[in-house]
Amino acid sequence: MDARDVADLEDKEYEDLIVANAHPPARNPEVWTALTHPDNLARTYDVITNVHQRAGNVLRKRKAERDLFQTECFARGEEGKREWFATRAEYESWRKRAANFHQMIQRAISELGRVKRSVNRSANHRVAQEQRETLRMLALAVHRHQAAHAREGGVAAQSDYELWRMLDRLTVPVGADSEQVTLRTMLDIYWSDVRPVDEGEGRRAEAELAMRSAPAGKSGRYGGVPRARHVHNGKELA
């Protein structure tokens, strides 16, 4: 029986299957794996919680009925007391079985709670990794956009500068201490392939640096003219 087979069961059959496998020594590992599959886990947890609640309600109701019966019996004197004591063993036997069942279901709920937390951690980690990969792709796209300006010598607009500066403003956690590292640093160290830099790439890197350091879109070194504009045009700007 796999997870899909279990999911197709009616509510009563589903509940009976959970109860039959709640106690580890009597458990069918294959069935329990299907019941705790991420697709079935929420339903399994809800069903077994309802079973636990009903069992607790029955225990409390029978206890109240037993207390009332005792009061009525003792009010009838010795004959009533004998009747109460005569039924005591049967009640205590039932109460012990019901209490053991209640505790077994409680232990199964605790186990399912641990499974849920583990599944949630895995899901959160997967989502975080997917988001991190999306951020990496976005950072690479911004980096390529900036590099294209440097190669082509185009005039950078204010919106270009603001876009590029996001690489220096936005951070991601790295390492066991979750140290915040900028996207540009991530690109330089973790997210980009390492390869030798030729002379032309070196000049483009300097142009990119000039554009990155320009406050409010204006280069402090060239009076508002991004250095990328002069790449490969033969001017001596150094």
Side-chain angles (χ1 to χ4, degrees):
M1 178 175 285
D2 60 16
R4 183 173 299 177
D5 295 330
V6 168
D8 291 337
L9 294 176
E10 298 293 335
D11 290 344
K12 184 60 171 65
E13 294 176 306
Y14 198 96
E15 179 179 308
D16 291 343
L17 194 64
I18 293 174
V19 172
N21 288 272
H23 191 40
R27 181 177 297 167
N28 182 320
E30 180 182 342
V31 171
W32 188 251
T33 298
L35 287 168
T36 56
H37 187 277
D39 292 342
N40 295 326
L41 185 57
R43 184 185 181 190
T44 299
Y45 190 86
D46 289 344
V47 170
I48 201 170
T49 300
N50 289 335
V51 171
H52 183 262
Q53 184 177 9
R54 290 203 310 270
N57 289 340
V58 170
L59 276 166
R60 286 187 290 271
K61 181 180 178 181
R62 286 291 300 275
K63 175 64 166 58
E65 292 173 348
R66 182 67 182 173
D67 291 344
L68 179 60
F69 179 64
Q70 180 183 19
T71 300
E72 293 173 348
C73 286
F74 280 37
R76 291 190 284 114
E78 290 302 321
E79 181 180 354
K81 289 182 180 179
R82 284 195 296 272
E83 183 180 353
W84 185 81
F85 281 112
T87 58
R88 184 176 182 179
E90 180 182 357
Y91 169 76
E92 288 298 328
S93 177
W94 172 88
R95 186 192 62 79
K96 184 177 181 179
R97 293 194 305 272
N100 287 340
F101 175 80
H102 190 253
Q103 292 173 6
M104 177 192 72
I105 296 300
Q106 177 59 61
R107 288 192 292 270
I109 289 175
S110 298
E111 182 179 352
L112 287 171
R114 292 191 293 272
V115 174
K116 283 182 64 176
R117 289 190 291 273
S118 177
V119 169
N120 289 339
R121 283 195 297 270
S122 298
N124 291 339
H125 178 73
R126 183 177 66 254
V127 170
Q129 290 299 105
E130 291 173 353
Q131 292 175 341
R132 196 180 187 91
E133 176 61 16
T134 299
L135 190 59
R136 184 188 73 86
M137 293 172 63
L138 178 61
L140 282 171
V142 173
H143 177 73
R144 293 186 185 111
H145 177 265
Q146 184 175 10
H149 269 271
R151 285 194 305 271
E152 297 168 5
V155 178
Q158 179 65 28
S159 57
D160 294 321
Y161 283 110
E162 292 176 357
L163 176 64
W164 301 334
R165 288 171 67 184
M166 288 298 101
L167 296 179
D168 301 302
R169 290 182 176 179
L170 299 182
T171 62
V172 293
V174 175
D177 297 330
S178 296
E179 179 184 358
Q180 295 298 316
V181 178
T182 67
L183 298 185
R184 194 176 300 280
T185 299
M186 292 295 294
L187 286 169
D188 292 341
I189 299 177
Y190 302 105
W191 289 347
S192 298
D193 294 331
V194 179
R195 56 189 177 83
V197 178
D198 59 28
E199 182 179 355
E201 288 177 324
R203 288 196 297 269
R204 287 196 293 272
E206 292 179 3
E208 290 180 29
L209 179 61
M211 289 188 289
R212 289 202 301 268
S213 64
K218 296 182 179 181
S219 171
R221 298 174 63 185
Y222 304 122
V225 180
R227 187 171 182 180
R229 185 176 180 180
H230 302 288
V231 173
H232 302 313
N233 63 3
K235 294 184 180 181
E236 298 294 330
L237 299 177

